[in-house]
Amino acid sequence: NEAVLPVYIGKKIDKGGVLGAIVPPEGWVMMLWLDQSILSKISTGLSVKLMSDTFPASVHLTGVVDAIMPVAMQDNHDSVGRPFLFSVRVVISKIPSALKSFNLLGMRLYADIQLPVREQIRIPIAAVQSKGEHVYVSRLVNQAKSRVRVHVGEADLEQISVYSGLKVGERIWVHD
């Protein structure tokens, strides 16, 4: 690391000398604002890939989720029906040498948090029943129905992911 020397009017600067640093070259901290709906999937230690349209193609920037702030902020652009956003701190400890002399002003970064892959089964959403906070499906065994508690995840208009409670190949009852 080169020392940043104080600069004043009339001071002679040697060629190649460091005048100042806006961004510390040894590491960066990036704050992400995430919607509350994704927050349950994020944990400290997850790897983060960072991309930018302005980076040279050879630059690969990665970081790690260091902290999830417990305080929410509402997106005030249109507060009606807008989700709360939570701050997630990402530490980037290894800065590629190509970025140390790169113009960072006005740069926009895109973050891709590497979520752990979970085993899942996709079933029709019409098969899911809920009672209170619990979610169930009706499993068919020898033409008899038995109610089984399941842990579900992402859903679209037709299917929902089941993370636990069912096994591949088990038959379920789909309600009309």
Side-chain angles (χ1 to χ4, degrees), residues 110-154:
Y110 303 94
D112 182 13
I113 300 174
Q114 305 296 297
L115 298 176
V117 177
R118 295 177 73 174
E119 294 280 325
Q120 63 178 313
I121 300 170
R122 298 282 289 170
I123 64 170
I125 202 163
V128 176
Q129 311 156 38
S130 63
K131 186 173 184 179
E133 294 182 17
H134 303 292
V135 180
Y136 300 92
V137 297
S138 293
R139 182 171 48 200
L140 293 173
V141 179
N142 298 327
Q143 302 301 324
K145 290 188 246 177
S146 63
R147 193 164 80 168
V148 178
R149 189 170 163 190
V150 293
H151 179 241
V152 295
E154 294 95 20

Side-chain angles (χ1 to χ4, degrees), residues 9-170:
I9 295 175
K11 178 169 175 131
K12 183 177 178 183
I13 307 296
D14 294 332
K15 183 177 181 180
V18 177
L19 297 177
I22 296 173
V23 178
E26 63 276 353
W28 299 344
V29 174
M30 177 181 188
M31 299 305 285
L32 305 175
W33 290 96
L34 299 180
D35 183 289
Q36 64 188 6
S37 65
I38 189 94
L39 203 62
S40 65
K41 299 175 187 174
I42 306 298
S43 61
T44 57
L46 288 179
S47 181
V48 180
K49 288 183 182 178
L50 299 158
M51 298 146 286
S52 175
D53 297 336
T54 58
F55 282 174
S58 62
V59 171
H60 301 284
L61 194 59
T62 59
V64 174
V65 173
D66 180 60
I68 302 167
M69 308 308 171
V71 179
M73 174 187 84
Q74 190 165 20
D75 184 353
N76 290 326
H77 290 89
D78 176 16
S79 60
V80 178
R82 299 296 286 189
F84 284 96
L85 301 176
F86 288 81
S87 179
V88 174
R89 185 174 62 204
V90 175
V91 174
I92 305 145
S93 58
K94 186 175 179 185
I95 308 302
S97 59
L99 288 183
K100 290 185 180 178
S101 61
F102 195 73
N103 181 3
L104 301 173
L105 295 176
M107 181 175 63
R108 176 176 286 174
L109 291 175
Y110 303 94
D112 182 13
I113 300 174
Q114 305 296 297
L115 298 176
V117 177
R118 295 177 73 174
E119 294 280 325
Q120 63 178 313
I121 300 170
R122 298 282 289 170
I123 64 170
I125 202 163
V128 176
Q129 311 156 38
S130 63
K131 186 173 184 179
E133 294 182 17
H134 303 292
V135 180
Y136 300 92
V137 297
S138 293
R139 182 171 48 200
L140 293 173
V141 179
N142 298 327
Q143 302 301 324
K145 290 188 246 177
S146 63
R147 193 164 80 168
V148 178
R149 189 170 163 190
V150 293
H151 179 241
V152 295
E154 294 95 20
D156 55 32
L157 294 175
E158 297 177 3
Q159 293 194 324
I160 190 165
S161 295
V162 177
Y163 295 120
S164 65
L166 284 178
K167 294 179 185 162
V168 173
E170 289 185 313

